[in-house]
């Protein structure tokens, strides 16, 4: 039972040339292409599988400012404004609602950390409310227990992970761009040291600018050109239940379980941060740079299996442009969900929220969450490959900030004033010490 996804029909004919080619049809790729097309830029997006079929449809759907790392908060704030506008611009429902996000806790240290973030956020113009025990227990009445405290962020919200990326892709086409599914980008051609074309399995597109928003595939793609991009992915397992539960918060996070109301009235259930580490050649190559991240999050991680090795997204192998690549062998990363984690997720959810006990399971799935060593995305043009803009390593935060990231990329390409300061995301920062600042949240 894979993650739900709305499938769309896309452009049949591959163009001979385009001002910009976007590689990757997740939320970041479609957002970048959408904002470029709206500015009259000729843009073609190529996706090896289906639009939104990997992590963009396999996450919680949260669009939040709450508890964002300071480097990501401006982009999160701008993204919420863009989420508000997208449905009206495109004429399609993306399932976005500012329903507010509720965090509940019995841990004094965690509550203190949330209060500290609230104090910081006030200076950034973000509204968030610390909840007393009485307030938290009232908002969390569906749990039937008393809480020490919590946080409620009223301006944050959720969007429909099954619809968001596909509907934005429709917006690209409506704005004059083209979108090509089942069309893997095998590699690049260069002229004078600068990008001059993208070679796909269906033909070559001449272009001077390429945006790579290929998620967990980014580092192996760059390795074809001798460019090191430290990236590592973990396998997280999630499940959903059918409609039927009533009285639950729309979006709730606790140490035990996190739940999100889906557009159909069902709920997505997950254990925050819990994941399997599937060893791969790429993980071994960049292991040292991920030591700080591992030390911060090791309690939530467990060793997985060889599925990641076999999937090919973190290979160190080189491939040819005139033969099938690992992207064509694995059109969609659809890893096996961890049955133990799924069982524990379901048990925890039923224990904390009795209203879920009589609701049947709808689906179970897993996804590979790609990360940088500091947990902040890498976005910007690569000095070693002029004309090539990287947008990867969103570290499990990409869905909510996807529109802002796409808008910023469009700003960079067109020479407009960036919607947010792009400097915190510059890829070259990862060339420094492995022991840099790891994102707090």
């Amino acid at each position: 039972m894979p993650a739900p996804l709305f499938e769309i029909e896309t452009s049949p004919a591959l163009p001979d040339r385009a001002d910009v080619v976007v590689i990757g049809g997740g939320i970041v790729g479609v957002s970048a292409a959408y904002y470029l097309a709206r500015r009259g830029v000729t843009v073609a997006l190529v996706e090896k599988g289906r639009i939104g079929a990997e992590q963009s449809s396999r996450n919680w759907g949260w669009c939040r400012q709450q508890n964002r790392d300071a480097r990501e908060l401006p982009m999160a704030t701008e993204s919420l404004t863009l989420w508000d506008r997208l449905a009206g611009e495109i004429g399609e429902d993306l399932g976005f609602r500012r329903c507010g996000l509720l965090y509940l806790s019995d841990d004094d240290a965690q509550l203190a950390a949330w209060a500290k973030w609230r104090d910081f956020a006030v200076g950034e113009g973000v509204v968030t409310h610390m909840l007393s025990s009485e307030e938290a227990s009232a908002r969390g009445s569906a749990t039937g227990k008393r809480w020490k405290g919590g946080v409620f962020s009223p301006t944050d919200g959720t969007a429909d992970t099954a619809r968001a990326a596909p509907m934005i892709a429709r917006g690209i086409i409506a704005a004059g761009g083209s979108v090509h599914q089942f069309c893997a980008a095998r590699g690049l051609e260069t002229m004078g040291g600068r990008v001059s074309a993208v070679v796909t399995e269906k033909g070559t597109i001449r272009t001077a600018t390429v945006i790579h928003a290929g998620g967990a595939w980014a580092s192996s793609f760059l390795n074809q050109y001798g460019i090191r991009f430290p990236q590592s992915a973990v396998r997280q397992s999630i499940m959903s239940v059918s409609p039927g539960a009533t009285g639950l918060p729309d979006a709730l996070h606790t140490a035990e379980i996190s739940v999100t109301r889906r557009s159909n009235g069902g709920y997505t259930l997950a254990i925050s941060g819990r994941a399997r580490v599937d060893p791969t050649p790429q993980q071994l190559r960049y292991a040292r740079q991920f030591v700080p991240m591992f030390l911060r999050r090791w309690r939530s991680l467990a060793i997985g299996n060889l599925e990641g090795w076999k999937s090919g997204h973190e290979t160190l192998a080189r491939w040819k442009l005139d033969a099938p690549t690992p992207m064509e062998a694995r059109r969609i990363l659809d890893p096996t969900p961890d049955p133990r984690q799924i069982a524990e997720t379901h048990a925890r959810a039923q224990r904390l929220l009795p209203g879920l006990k009589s609701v049947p399971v709808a689906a179970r799935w897993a996804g590979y969450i790609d990360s940088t060593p500091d947990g902040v995305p890498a976005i910007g043009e690569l000095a070693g490959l002029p004309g090539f803009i990287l947008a990867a390593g969103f570290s499990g935060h990409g869905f909510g900030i996807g529109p802002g990231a796409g808008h910023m990329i469009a700003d960079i390409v067109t020479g407009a004033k960036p919607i947010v300061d792009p400097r915190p995301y510059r890829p070259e920062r990862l060339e420094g010490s492995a022991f840099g600042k790891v994102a707090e949240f």
Side-chain angles (χ1 to χ4, degrees):
M1 293 181 286
L5 179 66
F6 188 89
E7 297 181 359
I8 62 171
E9 296 297 323
T10 48
S11 311
L14 197 70
D16 294 328
R17 60 180 60 250
D19 295 333
V20 181
V21 175
V22 178
I23 300 172
I27 194 72
V28 176
V30 296
S31 294
Y34 170 73
Y35 287 113
L36 286 167
R38 280 177 59 87
R39 300 180 195 194
V41 175
T42 304
V43 59
L45 183 149
V46 295
E47 162 57 45
K48 61 182 174 52
R50 286 202 175 276
I51 297 295
E54 293 190 345
Q55 200 53 32
S56 290
S57 61
R58 296 166 188 262
N59 63 87
W60 302 3
W62 284 29
C63 305
R64 65 178 173 90
Q65 299 167 104
Q66 179 66 39
N67 289 343
R68 285 281 186 188
D69 185 89
R71 292 163 287 184
E72 286 187 353
L73 182 57
M75 186 176 286
T77 301
E78 294 293 345
S79 291
L80 282 166
T81 301
L82 297 174
W83 277 112
D84 276 329
R85 298 172 182 166
L86 278 167
E89 291 175 357
I90 298 172
E92 300 278 4
D93 179 18
L94 280 66
F96 175 70
R97 297 180 302 126
R98 289 197 186 234
C99 57
L101 307 181
L102 176 62
Y103 295 65
L104 300 174
S105 181
D106 288 325
D107 184 281
D108 290 327
Q110 187 171 59
L111 290 169
W114 291 346
K116 182 179 179 181
W117 189 90
R118 183 274 315 272
D119 295 341
F120 150 73
V122 167
E124 304 297 316
V126 177
V127 176
T128 187
H129 304 299
M130 291 299 299
L131 304 178
S132 67
S133 177
E134 291 74 16
E135 292 168 330
S137 301
R139 285 191 176 274
S141 60
T143 66
K145 61 168 286 186
R146 186 170 182 81
W147 295 89
K148 280 191 175 183
V151 179
F152 183 66
S153 53
T155 59
D156 290 346
T158 64
D160 189 338
T161 56
R163 293 181 60 85
M167 294 304 102
I168 297 173
R170 281 186 172 176
I172 298 168
I173 297 171
S178 63
V179 178
H180 309 274
Q181 297 181 104
F182 299 99
C183 182
R186 291 177 173 175
L188 309 171
E189 290 182 357
T190 61
M191 183 179 296
R194 183 181 180 85
V195 169
S196 62
V198 173
V199 180
T200 81
E201 63 179 295
K202 295 182 178 179
T204 298
I205 309 173
R206 299 294 168 191
T207 187
T209 304
V210 174
I211 298 163
H212 194 288
W217 297 86
S219 187
S220 61
F221 188 94
L222 287 173
N223 187 52
Q224 307 306 305
Y225 305 96
I227 297 174
R228 292 173 61 90
F229 172 45
Q231 181 185 38
S232 182
V234 296
R235 174 166 50 98
Q236 187 172 59
S237 299
I238 299 180
M239 63 179 296
S240 66
V241 294
S242 300
T246 59
L248 276 63
D250 287 327
L252 169 66
H253 167 76
T254 72
E256 278 285 295
I257 196 74
S258 296
V259 302
T260 311
R261 181 179 173 85
R262 300 185 68 88
S263 292
N264 69 351
Y267 283 85
T268 296
L269 314 177
I271 301 174
S272 180
R274 183 71 64 84
R276 291 278 180 181
V277 180
D278 293 343
T280 67
Q282 187 172 291
Q283 282 194 347
L284 298 176
R285 182 185 195 185
Y286 294 120
R288 181 181 177 277
Q289 289 180 264
F290 281 88
V291 167
M293 176 78 75
F294 178 76
L295 291 176
R296 180 180 290 276
R297 298 177 181 174
W298 66 271
R299 292 180 180 86
S300 299
L301 302 176
I303 295 295
N305 53 35
L306 293 179
E307 185 167 359
W309 197 297
K310 296 174 183 176
S311 293
H313 62 290
E314 293 193 350
T315 181
L316 297 182
R318 299 292 182 95
W319 55 73
K320 297 178 180 180
L321 301 185
D322 60 352
T325 67
M327 283 90 72
E328 290 145 271
R330 190 62 61 103
R331 294 282 179 185
I332 296 170
L333 284 177
D334 187 23
T336 305
D338 179 354
R340 294 180 61 182
Q341 184 176 335
I342 292 295
E344 183 179 357
T345 299
H346 199 202
R348 286 187 181 196
Q350 292 179 313
R351 185 165 58 244
L352 185 68
L353 297 162
L356 292 174
K357 288 185 177 179
S358 60
V359 180
V361 173
R364 309 171 182 86
W365 66 86
Y368 281 114
I369 300 174
D370 68 295
S371 178
T372 60
D374 61 7
V376 175
I379 309 171
E381 186 174 25
L382 300 185
L385 194 56
F388 186 97
I389 296 172
L390 177 65
F394 280 78
S395 308
H397 310 156
F399 184 79
I401 64 175
H407 195 294
M408 186 184 78
I409 294 164
D411 294 336
I412 292 171
V413 171
T414 59
K417 181 181 178 181
I419 191 172
V420 296
D421 184 358
R423 288 175 295 181
Y425 311 105
R426 64 194 190 284
E428 57 266 27
R429 77 181 190 278
L430 300 174
E431 298 170 4
S433 169
F435 295 88
K437 184 181 185 300
V438 177
E440 293 290 337
F441 298 99

